[in-house]
Amino acid sequence: MTKLFRELLFRPSPKPSKAVCIGARSVGHYRIRPEWQDLLFPKTFTQFFWSISGTGFIRLNGRKFSLPPETVGVYFPNEKHEVGTEGPGSWEYRWWTMDGPMAEAIVRSLGFGEDRIYRAGPAPVELFEELTREISDVSYGGEVRADAVAFRLLSAVAAEARPNEAAPVAGPRPLRSFRGTALECIQKSWTDMRFGVEQMADALGLHRSVLSRRFRSEFGMAPSEYILRWRVQNALRMLTRTTLPIHQVAKECGWNDPNYFSRCVRQIAGYTPRMARTATQGRTVRETKLADK
């Protein structure tokens, strides 16, 4: 017989101890019986539910939203929470709550709001357990660390979340497969000066417009912008960790024009390649000399 449990832990103070924008209020891990339902009343915090096994639901404004495995549901402050199991079996899920003066605004700024159920993959058990440990530490340091872990959980959902209506939860997830294929293509070809959106579309066997649409849906930006950011990130790494001449760094990272390279770096990073090199030159040269001994 499946063991049922309700494990939960609250921050000792009803409000964050310090003036933080967003605080970790509580965390829990439930496996509940069929036909179980939480009490229906408004709550003053933002709460996320991450479904693990079985199926649950949340109800909002008379509309019922199912929560099958690997989906996340969200409630905002002052909304009536109506949560329960759906179907004949038990439902296992993890949840956490956040409060603070900017909690709702920050959550909404990350794209949550109109949709309430999101596909997000398996629950990050390690993060939930870390949040539980930090909330257990009643010191101010523990509270601050718990706030940071709660934000990491929020970021993990935001990075993976897709509205549940976009595709069924069960079965293959084409966007996830596309993500890996697209990244592999960029990682193989980004140093080639000729590599761009057209070459990427050809490599993936997609029309350019289809590639751009799917890429933007998965990564939140155009493929050309992602490729540029990837090149700049690697160029900055080379500028700060090697003594290669700047024009050589440009060539290694896919630029044949050092002036255009400089403009691209300034556009993304806010400073020129020479400024990046100068800021870390002493450390880089010293590390290089030590490595050569």
Side-chain angles (χ1 to χ4, degrees), residues 118-259:
Y118 302 85
R119 293 181 296 127
V125 175
E126 297 83 359
L127 279 179
F128 277 102
E129 291 178 346
E130 185 178 356
L131 179 57
T132 301
R133 288 194 301 271
E134 298 300 353
I135 290 183
S136 299
D137 181 351
V138 298
S139 68
Y140 172 61
E143 183 175 329
V144 171
R145 289 191 296 272
D147 295 344
V149 177
F151 190 81
R152 285 163 57 198
L153 266 172
L154 177 61
S155 300
V157 180
E160 295 294 332
R162 299 290 180 273
N164 196 40
E165 290 80 358
V169 174
R173 298 169 67 184
L175 287 180
R176 295 283 291 174
S177 175
F178 169 78
R179 182 185 184 92
T181 304
L183 286 176
E184 183 180 4
C185 181
I186 293 171
Q187 291 165 2
K188 284 183 177 179
S189 306
W190 67 274
T191 57
D192 186 343
M193 295 180 186
R194 299 166 297 178
F195 181 70
V197 180
E198 288 287 354
Q199 291 72 25
M200 186 177 179
D202 290 343
L204 298 181
L206 297 172
H207 190 277
R208 177 171 178 154
S209 62
V210 175
L211 168 65
S212 296
R213 183 173 64 252
R214 293 185 66 180
F215 197 97
R216 188 178 291 276
S217 174
E218 180 67 19
F219 293 91
M221 64 180 64
S224 57
E225 181 181 357
Y226 192 98
I227 294 169
L228 175 60
R229 287 175 173 271
W230 182 279
R231 283 173 164 154
V232 168
Q233 182 186 63
N234 282 277
L236 291 173
R237 184 179 293 114
M238 294 180 70
L239 287 166
T240 57
R241 297 184 182 181
T242 76
T243 55
L244 284 175
I246 291 176
H247 69 85
Q248 185 65 31
V249 172
K251 185 176 180 181
E252 294 283 341
C253 294
W255 282 274
N256 58 8
D257 181 349
N259 292 326

